[in-house]
Amino acid sequence: MNAPARADLWVPASLELGEGPRWVDGHLVFVDILSGTLLTADGHRPGAARTLASTAPLSLGAVAPVASSPGEWVAAVGTGIALLTEDSQLSWLGRPAAGGVPRRMNDGVCDPRGRFWATCMAWDATPGGGSVFRVDHDGTITMVVDRLTIPNGPAFTADGSTMYLADSARGLIFRHNVDHAGQLGPAREFVRIGDGQPDGMTVDDAGCLWVAVWGAGEVRRYGPDGSLQHAVTVPAQQPTAPCLGGPDGRRLFVTTAAYGLTGDRVGLSGGVFALDVETPGTPAAGFIYAQRDTSRAEP
């Protein structure tokens, strides 16, 4: 493994639970989960973030762009999935995490075929309270994995045939085969992390998995065989998620969280960091949505 590199502060911020960075249309977008805020920042030069939309008082776990509909997002928000516009209007597709133990949506990403995959967890991280949902092109929501605790990711290979999924509370990253219809094969253990919790992830063009390790102040790159190839030090204790973007796709952006930190422990936590790396990634895949007649009223 190469000697650890260090990411530098790119967006000075005080995000309580920054997450979900995505490279979309030449810009960096990310969320602050607990405040329900969707933000953007210049991916070409460091600077401040600006707000794109808000789902407050609902939490906002992650977004992906809606294909061929600029300014519209599919969002993992509150206890469900909705379309979100930049004027902060929500069109609900469903609320699969409502009922039972209080839960919230946590993370999400589109696969290369334009389906949205989103995770949820219990607010108090009750073991087994987490699930993963797949949103198909017609807006149908299907639970595909359950009995997790804090599911994070997912991340897909470029051909969409493999999905990586973390259960952060257990320190585990799993790998699933994915067929053309979005059906998952059995979970296979990929990596076990003992010095922190695997959080958000992304796959680069070489098929390697970048993983933010909450509590360890690092983002790690694993080969397809699970071998640790590279580590990037983040000057914040709680990195939450990486993405690859920038002019040539070789800039690694990392969101962090100030959640639970006080006094001198806060430091630069809650900022977004960046480092140029050798292998590029691809921009965020869009959600291909075949219907556009959903009600704007919450179900």
Side-chain angles (χ1 to χ4, degrees):
M1 185 184 74
N2 296 330
R6 180 182 171 93
D8 295 320
L9 185 64
W10 190 266
V11 180
S14 54
L15 305 175
E16 185 176 8
L17 195 52
E19 259 283 10
R22 304 285 182 262
W23 186 253
V24 180
D25 295 332
H27 294 84
L28 178 67
V29 299
F30 50 96
V31 303
D32 192 2
I33 291 179
L34 300 182
S35 71
T37 309
L38 175 63
L39 304 110
T40 186
D42 192 329
H44 303 273
R45 60 186 64 84
R50 65 179 180 89
T51 297
L52 284 178
S54 172
T55 61
L58 300 177
S59 59
L60 177 61
V63 301
V66 176
S68 303
S69 184
E72 187 174 27
W73 311 87
V74 61
V77 56
T79 56
I81 310 295
L83 301 179
L84 172 66
T85 60
E86 289 190 354
D87 60 357
S88 300
Q89 297 297 308
L90 293 171
S91 298
W92 289 91
L93 300 180
R95 301 207 302 167
V101 173
R103 299 194 292 174
R104 65 166 174 85
M105 304 306 294
N106 189 51
D107 206 347
V109 69
C110 279
D111 68 20
R113 295 189 176 94
R115 296 173 294 231
F116 187 57
W117 301 69
T119 73
C120 76
M121 60 174 285
W123 275 101
D124 64 357
T126 297
S131 302
V132 182
F133 304 97
R134 187 190 69 235
V135 186
D136 292 321
H137 299 152
D138 63 357
T140 300
I141 302 171
T142 304
M143 185 175 69
V144 293
V145 185
D146 65 353
R147 299 182 181 179
L148 302 169
T149 299
I150 305 178
N152 269 299
F156 291 86
T157 53
D159 63 1
S161 67
T162 300
M163 181 184 82
Y164 294 96
L165 179 69
D167 194 349
S168 301
R170 298 166 61 193
L172 293 172
I173 301 172
F174 299 100
R175 179 163 52 188
H176 294 262
N177 290 337
V178 187
D179 70 14
H180 187 78
Q183 300 299 315
L184 298 181
R188 294 168 288 149
E189 185 176 319
F190 177 66
V191 168
R192 183 182 294 264
I193 293 176
D195 61 341
Q197 297 183 341
D199 202 329
M201 305 179 286
T202 193
V203 179
D204 65 23
D205 286 356
C208 295
L209 183 71
W210 287 93
V211 182
V213 185
W214 174 284
E218 287 190 346
V219 179
R220 298 172 186 169
R221 183 180 189 246
Y222 293 92
D225 62 354
S227 61
L228 179 60
Q229 298 189 348
H230 192 59
V232 172
T233 299
V234 180
Q237 184 180 350
Q238 298 173 164
T240 56
C243 82
L244 288 159
D248 58 3
R250 290 182 167 85
R251 185 159 294 147
L252 180 73
F253 297 101
V254 185
T255 50
T256 68
Y259 178 81
L261 302 178
T262 58
D264 293 342
R265 296 179 64 208
V266 177
L268 299 175
S269 296
V272 180
F273 297 81
L275 173 77
D276 289 347
V277 296
E278 292 183 3
T279 305
T282 56
F287 176 51
I288 298 173
Y289 184 49
Q291 296 185 167
R292 311 212 55 82
D293 58 353
T294 56
S295 170
R296 290 193 179 275
E298 184 173 332

